[in-house]
Amino acid sequence: MNEKVDMEKIKERVRRKMHEEFGLMPRIKIFAFGGGAGRIAEYIARKKLAGVKIIGVNADARVMNLELDKRMHIGKDVLGFHRDTNGEPKVAEYIVDRHKAWIIEEAMDADAIVILAAPGGGMGSGGSVEAMRILKNRTDKPVMAIFLLPFSVEREQRARAMKVIETVKNENLGSVVVFDSDDMLNTPDLPIFRGYQKIYENIVSVITRLTAFTKRVLEEKFDELYLSDIDEIVAREYRKIVEEEAVFS
């Protein structure tokens, strides 16, 4: 028996068992701002990604109909009888700022945060940006924005969305991943619903990769804190484990 090889195998077994015992599953929270993001969020929710919690946020009461982990209908005290922000980013910024305590509270137990939006309207533009400002100023959580741009023919909404991306980058509010609705037009005869489905799948892929990366970071930090003396741990358990292997071999 090659003791050096066996020791490395045992070390890895100890790591895996301790990772399992401590439940090192990353906690990813997705805040979906606005109606467009709500549709994407429901698609993601149906994938039941491990460690991912999705929260729908909107000034429109229809957010409460979304099948997500949590739904927040905000701004009722500001808008009165108005149904939503009427596409006004500044109104959405003000509403989100009034709810910053709730956003901070929701973020505190997350390992990473995703701001999901289809900017162009009020909450998807002003709301998402203001939330990123709050998270940057009041937490130390890594934040990723995933934005879906409107079609180019939607000129006013498109210009507003581009300004959102520029603001996030200029203010260094977090990393940004952008998907473009115009990409659907590059495939002739592609039905719109299929085009959206393809984009949604790509968004799911980004979140899956973020979860895997966050898990690796957690494991590395755990190893530094708890497994710095792994050689000593293995030395104590090595003979016992080897004997068990011998019995079952």
mmCIF file of all heavy atoms in Angstrom, residues 97-136:
data_model
loop_
_atom_site.group_PDB
_atom_site.id
_atom_site.type_symbol
_atom_site.label_atom_id
_atom_site.label_comp_id
_atom_site.label_asym_id
_atom_site.label_seq_id
_atom_site.Cartn_x
_atom_site.Cartn_y
_atom_site.Cartn_z
ATOM 1 N N ASP A 97 -35.581 53.206 -1.921
ATOM 2 C CA ASP A 97 -34.824 53.803 -0.815
ATOM 3 C C ASP A 97 -35.618 53.758 0.488
ATOM 4 O O ASP A 97 -35.061 53.532 1.567
ATOM 5 C CB ASP A 97 -34.453 55.250 -1.154
ATOM 6 C CG ASP A 97 -33.616 55.891 -0.053
ATOM 7 O OD1 ASP A 97 -32.457 55.473 0.124
ATOM 8 O OD2 ASP A 97 -34.133 56.795 0.632
ATOM 9 N N ARG A 98 -36.919 53.945 0.407
ATOM 10 C CA ARG A 98 -37.774 53.886 1.596
ATOM 11 C C ARG A 98 -37.825 52.469 2.184
ATOM 12 O O ARG A 98 -38.200 52.287 3.348
ATOM 13 C CB ARG A 98 -39.188 54.363 1.259
ATOM 14 C CG ARG A 98 -39.286 55.873 1.098
ATOM 15 C CD ARG A 98 -40.685 56.265 0.644
ATOM 16 N NE ARG A 98 -41.713 55.901 1.607
ATOM 17 C CZ ARG A 98 -42.126 56.683 2.608
ATOM 18 N NH1 ARG A 98 -41.580 57.876 2.776
ATOM 19 N NH2 ARG A 98 -43.095 56.292 3.410
ATOM 20 N N HIS A 99 -37.475 51.480 1.369
ATOM 21 C CA HIS A 99 -37.501 50.086 1.827
ATOM 22 C C HIS A 99 -36.103 49.510 1.989
ATOM 23 O O HIS A 99 -35.921 48.299 1.974
ATOM 24 C CB HIS A 99 -38.304 49.233 0.837
ATOM 25 C CG HIS A 99 -39.775 49.521 0.861
ATOM 26 N ND1 HIS A 99 -40.336 50.607 0.219
ATOM 27 C CD2 HIS A 99 -40.809 48.877 1.467
ATOM 28 C CE1 HIS A 99 -41.649 50.607 0.418
ATOM 29 N NE2 HIS A 99 -41.958 49.578 1.177
ATOM 30 N N LYS A 100 -35.118 50.378 2.145
ATOM 31 C CA LYS A 100 -33.734 49.901 2.206
ATOM 32 C C LYS A 100 -33.471 48.999 3.418
ATOM 33 O O LYS A 100 -32.658 48.078 3.342
ATOM 34 C CB LYS A 100 -32.733 51.055 2.179
ATOM 35 C CG LYS A 100 -32.848 52.087 3.269
ATOM 36 C CD LYS A 100 -31.738 53.130 3.097
ATOM 37 C CE LYS A 100 -31.879 54.280 4.072
ATOM 38 N NZ LYS A 100 -32.970 55.202 3.690
ATOM 39 N N ALA A 101 -34.147 49.246 4.529
ATOM 40 C CA ALA A 101 -33.941 48.409 5.714
ATOM 41 C C ALA A 101 -34.336 46.968 5.420
ATOM 42 O O ALA A 101 -33.635 46.023 5.829
ATOM 43 C CB ALA A 101 -34.748 48.948 6.895
ATOM 44 N N TRP A 102 -35.433 46.804 4.696
ATOM 45 C CA TRP A 102 -35.862 45.453 4.333
ATOM 46 C C TRP A 102 -34.868 44.795 3.374
ATOM 47 O O TRP A 102 -34.534 43.610 3.527
ATOM 48 C CB TRP A 102 -37.252 45.507 3.690
ATOM 49 C CG TRP A 102 -37.581 44.239 2.975
ATOM 50 C CD1 TRP A 102 -37.943 43.043 3.530
ATOM 51 C CD2 TRP A 102 -37.524 44.010 1.566
ATOM 52 N NE1 TRP A 102 -38.117 42.085 2.558
ATOM 53 C CE2 TRP A 102 -37.871 42.661 1.345
ATOM 54 C CE3 TRP A 102 -37.222 44.822 0.468
ATOM 55 C CZ2 TRP A 102 -37.923 42.105 0.069
ATOM 56 C CZ3 TRP A 102 -37.275 44.270 -0.792
ATOM 57 C CH2 TRP A 102 -37.621 42.933 -0.986
ATOM 58 N N ILE A 103 -34.387 45.549 2.396
ATOM 59 C CA ILE A 103 -33.419 45.001 1.434
ATOM 60 C C ILE A 103 -32.146 44.561 2.145
ATOM 61 O O ILE A 103 -31.615 43.470 1.895
ATOM 62 C CB ILE A 103 -33.101 46.046 0.336
ATOM 63 C CG1 ILE A 103 -34.334 46.276 -0.532
ATOM 64 C CG2 ILE A 103 -31.920 45.601 -0.524
ATOM 65 C CD1 ILE A 103 -34.197 47.412 -1.523
ATOM 66 N N ILE A 104 -31.667 45.376 3.054
ATOM 67 C CA ILE A 104 -30.454 45.038 3.803
ATOM 68 C C ILE A 104 -30.684 43.781 4.643
ATOM 69 O O ILE A 104 -29.831 42.881 4.681
ATOM 70 C CB ILE A 104 -30.028 46.223 4.691
ATOM 71 C CG1 ILE A 104 -29.596 47.402 3.831
ATOM 72 C CG2 ILE A 104 -28.896 45.816 5.638
ATOM 73 C CD1 ILE A 104 -29.506 48.716 4.579
ATOM 74 N N GLU A 105 -31.830 43.715 5.298
ATOM 75 C CA GLU A 105 -32.142 42.548 6.129
ATOM 76 C C GLU A 105 -32.176 41.270 5.292
ATOM 77 O O GLU A 105 -31.637 40.233 5.687
ATOM 78 C CB GLU A 105 -33.484 42.745 6.827
ATOM 79 C CG GLU A 105 -33.866 41.593 7.752
ATOM 80 C CD GLU A 105 -35.209 41.808 8.411
ATOM 81 O OE1 GLU A 105 -35.809 42.881 8.214
ATOM 82 O OE2 GLU A 105 -35.659 40.900 9.141
ATOM 83 N N GLU A 106 -32.815 41.341 4.133
ATOM 84 C CA GLU A 106 -32.891 40.168 3.248
ATOM 85 C C GLU A 106 -31.509 39.751 2.757
ATOM 86 O O GLU A 106 -31.242 38.572 2.544
ATOM 87 C CB GLU A 106 -33.789 40.467 2.048
ATOM 88 C CG GLU A 106 -35.268 40.395 2.334
ATOM 89 C CD GLU A 106 -35.737 38.973 2.584
ATOM 90 O OE1 GLU A 106 -35.069 38.027 2.156
ATOM 91 O OE2 GLU A 106 -36.795 38.819 3.222
ATOM 92 N N ALA A 107 -30.625 40.723 2.578
ATOM 93 C CA ALA A 107 -29.304 40.440 2.009
ATOM 94 C C ALA A 107 -28.328 39.853 3.020
ATOM 95 O O ALA A 107 -27.351 39.195 2.629
ATOM 96 C CB ALA A 107 -28.705 41.713 1.414
ATOM 97 N N MET A 108 -28.571 40.060 4.312
ATOM 98 C CA MET A 108 -27.548 39.752 5.308
ATOM 99 C C MET A 108 -27.179 38.280 5.378
ATOM 100 O O MET A 108 -26.051 37.934 5.700
ATOM 101 C CB MET A 108 -27.997 40.245 6.691
ATOM 102 C CG MET A 108 -28.051 41.770 6.805
ATOM 103 S SD MET A 108 -26.568 42.615 6.162
ATOM 104 C CE MET A 108 -25.336 42.039 7.338
ATOM 105 N N ASP A 109 -28.114 37.371 5.101
ATOM 106 C CA ASP A 109 -27.790 35.949 5.199
ATOM 107 C C ASP A 109 -27.433 35.335 3.845
ATOM 108 O O ASP A 109 -27.370 34.117 3.704
ATOM 109 C CB ASP A 109 -28.942 35.173 5.841
ATOM 110 C CG ASP A 109 -30.193 35.176 4.979
ATOM 111 O OD1 ASP A 109 -30.271 36.003 4.045
ATOM 112 O OD2 ASP A 109 -31.083 34.350 5.239
ATOM 113 N N ALA A 110 -27.187 36.181 2.847
ATOM 114 C CA ALA A 110 -26.808 35.681 1.516
ATOM 115 C C ALA A 110 -25.294 35.669 1.360
ATOM 116 O O ALA A 110 -24.589 36.490 1.939
ATOM 117 C CB ALA A 110 -27.428 36.562 0.428
ATOM 118 N N ASP A 111 -24.810 34.721 0.579
ATOM 119 C CA ASP A 111 -23.384 34.689 0.233
ATOM 120 C C ASP A 111 -23.112 35.504 -1.018
ATOM 121 O O ASP A 111 -22.005 36.014 -1.207
ATOM 122 C CB ASP A 111 -22.926 33.238 0.023
ATOM 123 C CG ASP A 111 -23.037 32.407 1.287
ATOM 124 O OD1 ASP A 111 -22.458 32.814 2.316
ATOM 125 O OD2 ASP A 111 -23.718 31.369 1.265
ATOM 126 N N ALA A 112 -24.099 35.609 -1.875
ATOM 127 C CA ALA A 112 -23.994 36.437 -3.087
ATOM 128 C C ALA A 112 -25.396 36.859 -3.487
ATOM 129 O O ALA A 112 -26.376 36.171 -3.191
ATOM 130 C CB ALA A 112 -23.319 35.676 -4.219
ATOM 131 N N ILE A 113 -25.487 38.004 -4.158
ATOM 132 C CA ILE A 113 -26.784 38.577 -4.510
ATOM 133 C C ILE A 113 -26.830 38.846 -6.010
ATOM 134 O O ILE A 113 -25.863 39.342 -6.597
ATOM 135 C CB ILE A 113 -27.033 39.887 -3.739
ATOM 136 C CG1 ILE A 113 -27.085 39.598 -2.231
ATOM 137 C CG2 ILE A 113 -28.320 40.565 -4.200
ATOM 138 C CD1 ILE A 113 -26.982 40.828 -1.379
ATOM 139 N N VAL A 114 -27.975 38.524 -6.600
ATOM 140 C CA VAL A 114 -28.225 38.831 -8.007
ATOM 141 C C VAL A 114 -29.374 39.832 -8.083
ATOM 142 O O VAL A 114 -30.431 39.619 -7.486
ATOM 143 C CB VAL A 114 -28.590 37.562 -8.806
ATOM 144 C CG1 VAL A 114 -28.991 37.939 -10.241
ATOM 145 C CG2 VAL A 114 -27.425 36.584 -8.826
ATOM 146 N N ILE A 115 -29.145 40.931 -8.785
ATOM 147 C CA ILE A 115 -30.205 41.885 -9.103
ATOM 148 C C ILE A 115 -30.638 41.588 -10.533
ATOM 149 O O ILE A 115 -29.860 41.749 -11.479
ATOM 150 C CB ILE A 115 -29.728 43.341 -8.985
ATOM 151 C CG1 ILE A 115 -29.253 43.643 -7.562
ATOM 152 C CG2 ILE A 115 -30.837 44.297 -9.407
ATOM 153 C CD1 ILE A 115 -30.328 43.553 -6.505
ATOM 154 N N LEU A 116 -31.855 41.115 -10.679
ATOM 155 C CA LEU A 116 -32.390 40.723 -11.986
ATOM 156 C C LEU A 116 -33.391 41.774 -12.450
ATOM 157 O O LEU A 116 -34.319 42.119 -11.712
ATOM 158 C CB LEU A 116 -33.061 39.351 -11.864
ATOM 159 C CG LEU A 116 -33.720 38.769 -13.116
ATOM 160 C CD1 LEU A 116 -32.685 38.478 -14.194
ATOM 161 C CD2 LEU A 116 -34.488 37.498 -12.751
ATOM 162 N N ALA A 117 -33.208 42.282 -13.662
ATOM 163 C CA ALA A 117 -34.119 43.321 -14.152
ATOM 164 C C ALA A 117 -34.141 43.332 -15.682
ATOM 165 O O ALA A 117 -33.173 42.948 -16.333
ATOM 166 C CB ALA A 117 -33.706 44.701 -13.634
ATOM 167 N N ALA A 118 -35.285 43.770 -16.199
ATOM 168 C CA ALA A 118 -35.403 44.078 -17.622
ATOM 169 C C ALA A 118 -35.582 45.589 -17.691
ATOM 170 O O ALA A 118 -36.706 46.092 -17.788
ATOM 171 C CB ALA A 118 -36.594 43.342 -18.240
ATOM 172 N N PRO A 119 -34.497 46.346 -17.583
ATOM 173 C CA PRO A 119 -34.601 47.803 -17.448
ATOM 174 C C PRO A 119 -35.242 48.444 -18.674
ATOM 175 O O PRO A 119 -35.144 47.940 -19.778
ATOM 176 C CB PRO A 119 -33.141 48.247 -17.277
ATOM 177 C CG PRO A 119 -32.327 47.149 -17.868
ATOM 178 C CD PRO A 119 -33.096 45.891 -17.633
ATOM 179 N N GLY A 120 -35.887 49.557 -18.396
ATOM 180 C CA GLY A 120 -36.610 50.265 -19.446
ATOM 181 C C GLY A 120 -37.828 50.948 -18.872
ATOM 182 O O GLY A 120 -38.276 51.977 -19.365
ATOM 183 N N GLY A 121 -38.355 50.367 -17.785
ATOM 184 C CA GLY A 121 -39.483 50.974 -17.098
ATOM 185 C C GLY A 121 -39.028 51.653 -15.824
ATOM 186 O O GLY A 121 -37.909 52.151 -15.731
ATOM 187 N N GLY A 122 -39.893 51.665 -14.818
ATOM 188 C CA GLY A 122 -39.562 52.338 -13.570
ATOM 189 C C GLY A 122 -38.786 51.459 -12.613
ATOM 190 O O GLY A 122 -37.606 51.704 -12.345
ATOM 191 N N MET A 123 -39.429 50.406 -12.106
ATOM 192 C CA MET A 123 -38.792 49.571 -11.093
ATOM 193 C C MET A 123 -37.598 48.802 -11.664
ATOM 194 O O MET A 123 -36.586 48.636 -10.988
ATOM 195 C CB MET A 123 -39.816 48.600 -10.507
ATOM 196 C CG MET A 123 -39.388 47.936 -9.225
ATOM 197 S SD MET A 123 -39.010 49.091 -7.876
ATOM 198 C CE MET A 123 -40.628 49.765 -7.525
ATOM 199 N N GLY A 124 -37.703 48.345 -12.912
ATOM 200 C CA GLY A 124 -36.590 47.626 -13.516
ATOM 201 C C GLY A 124 -35.374 48.503 -13.755
ATOM 202 O O GLY A 124 -34.252 48.013 -13.831
ATOM 203 N N SER A 125 -35.587 49.819 -13.856
ATOM 204 C CA SER A 125 -34.482 50.756 -14.082
ATOM 205 C C SER A 125 -34.052 51.407 -12.769
ATOM 206 O O SER A 125 -33.047 51.036 -12.174
ATOM 207 C CB SER A 125 -34.898 51.828 -15.096
ATOM 208 O OG SER A 125 -35.231 51.245 -16.342
ATOM 209 N N GLY A 126 -34.856 52.359 -12.292
ATOM 210 C CA GLY A 126 -34.496 53.071 -11.065
ATOM 211 C C GLY A 126 -34.455 52.183 -9.847
ATOM 212 O O GLY A 126 -33.570 52.327 -8.992
ATOM 213 N N GLY A 127 -35.394 51.249 -9.743
ATOM 214 C CA GLY A 127 -35.437 50.373 -8.572
ATOM 215 C C GLY A 127 -34.234 49.479 -8.455
ATOM 216 O O GLY A 127 -33.647 49.319 -7.378
ATOM 217 N N SER A 128 -33.834 48.879 -9.571
ATOM 218 C CA SER A 128 -32.694 47.959 -9.536
ATOM 219 C C SER A 128 -31.402 48.696 -9.215
ATOM 220 O O SER A 128 -30.576 48.215 -8.428
ATOM 221 C CB SER A 128 -32.569 47.221 -10.874
ATOM 222 O OG SER A 128 -32.345 48.123 -11.942
ATOM 223 N N VAL A 129 -31.212 49.875 -9.797
ATOM 224 C CA VAL A 129 -29.990 50.646 -9.549
ATOM 225 C C VAL A 129 -29.924 51.101 -8.092
ATOM 226 O O VAL A 129 -28.879 50.999 -7.440
ATOM 227 C CB VAL A 129 -29.907 51.870 -10.496
ATOM 228 C CG1 VAL A 129 -28.770 52.797 -10.076
ATOM 229 C CG2 VAL A 129 -29.703 51.413 -11.933
ATOM 230 N N GLU A 130 -31.042 51.595 -7.569
ATOM 231 C CA GLU A 130 -31.047 52.057 -6.179
ATOM 232 C C GLU A 130 -30.767 50.899 -5.222
ATOM 233 O O GLU A 130 -30.061 51.075 -4.220
ATOM 234 C CB GLU A 130 -32.386 52.716 -5.847
ATOM 235 C CG GLU A 130 -32.442 53.353 -4.470
ATOM 236 C CD GLU A 130 -31.435 54.480 -4.289
ATOM 237 O OE1 GLU A 130 -31.000 55.080 -5.303
ATOM 238 O OE2 GLU A 130 -31.081 54.763 -3.125
ATOM 239 N N ALA A 131 -31.298 49.731 -5.520
ATOM 240 C CA ALA A 131 -31.022 48.559 -4.686
ATOM 241 C C ALA A 131 -29.534 48.228 -4.689
ATOM 242 O O ALA A 131 -28.966 47.885 -3.636
ATOM 243 C CB ALA A 131 -31.827 47.358 -5.181
ATOM 244 N N MET A 132 -28.896 48.343 -5.835
ATOM 245 C CA MET A 132 -27.463 48.068 -5.915
ATOM 246 C C MET A 132 -26.660 49.098 -5.122
ATOM 247 O O MET A 132 -25.657 48.756 -4.491
ATOM 248 C CB MET A 132 -27.015 48.019 -7.371
ATOM 249 C CG MET A 132 -27.607 46.847 -8.140
ATOM 250 S SD MET A 132 -26.969 46.688 -9.830
ATOM 251 C CE MET A 132 -25.343 45.991 -9.506
ATOM 252 N N ARG A 133 -27.105 50.348 -5.151
ATOM 253 C CA ARG A 133 -26.435 51.388 -4.346
ATOM 254 C C ARG A 133 -26.541 51.053 -2.858
ATOM 255 O O ARG A 133 -25.561 51.161 -2.105
ATOM 256 C CB ARG A 133 -27.058 52.749 -4.617
ATOM 257 C CG ARG A 133 -26.768 53.334 -5.992
ATOM 258 C CD ARG A 133 -27.233 54.778 -6.052
ATOM 259 N NE ARG A 133 -27.042 55.361 -7.379
ATOM 260 C CZ ARG A 133 -28.030 55.715 -8.196
ATOM 261 N NH1 ARG A 133 -29.289 55.554 -7.813
ATOM 262 N NH2 ARG A 133 -27.776 56.241 -9.381
ATOM 263 N N ILE A 134 -27.720 50.654 -2.440
ATOM 264 C CA ILE A 134 -27.940 50.314 -1.032
ATOM 265 C C ILE A 134 -27.050 49.147 -0.618
ATOM 266 O O ILE A 134 -26.402 49.176 0.439
ATOM 267 C CB ILE A 134 -29.423 49.966 -0.804
ATOM 268 C CG1 ILE A 134 -30.281 51.223 -0.954
ATOM 269 C CG2 ILE A 134 -29.637 49.334 0.581
ATOM 270 C CD1 ILE A 134 -31.767 50.940 -1.081
ATOM 271 N N LEU A 135 -27.000 48.128 -1.443
ATOM 272 C CA LEU A 135 -26.202 46.946 -1.125
ATOM 273 C C LEU A 135 -24.710 47.279 -1.069
ATOM 274 O O LEU A 135 -23.979 46.768 -0.218
ATOM 275 C CB LEU A 135 -26.470 45.848 -2.156
ATOM 276 C CG LEU A 135 -27.875 45.238 -2.096
ATOM 277 C CD1 LEU A 135 -28.142 44.389 -3.327
ATOM 278 C CD2 LEU A 135 -28.054 44.410 -0.834
ATOM 279 N N LYS A 136 -24.268 48.151 -1.976
ATOM 280 C CA LYS A 136 -22.861 48.535 -1.972
ATOM 281 C C LYS A 136 -22.502 49.324 -0.719
ATOM 282 O O LYS A 136 -21.444 49.093 -0.107
ATOM 283 C CB LYS A 136 -22.530 49.367 -3.216
ATOM 284 C CG LYS A 136 -21.076 49.836 -3.247
ATOM 285 C CD LYS A 136 -20.797 50.720 -4.451
ATOM 286 C CE LYS A 136 -19.346 51.208 -4.425
ATOM 287 N NZ LYS A 136 -19.033 52.081 -5.589
#
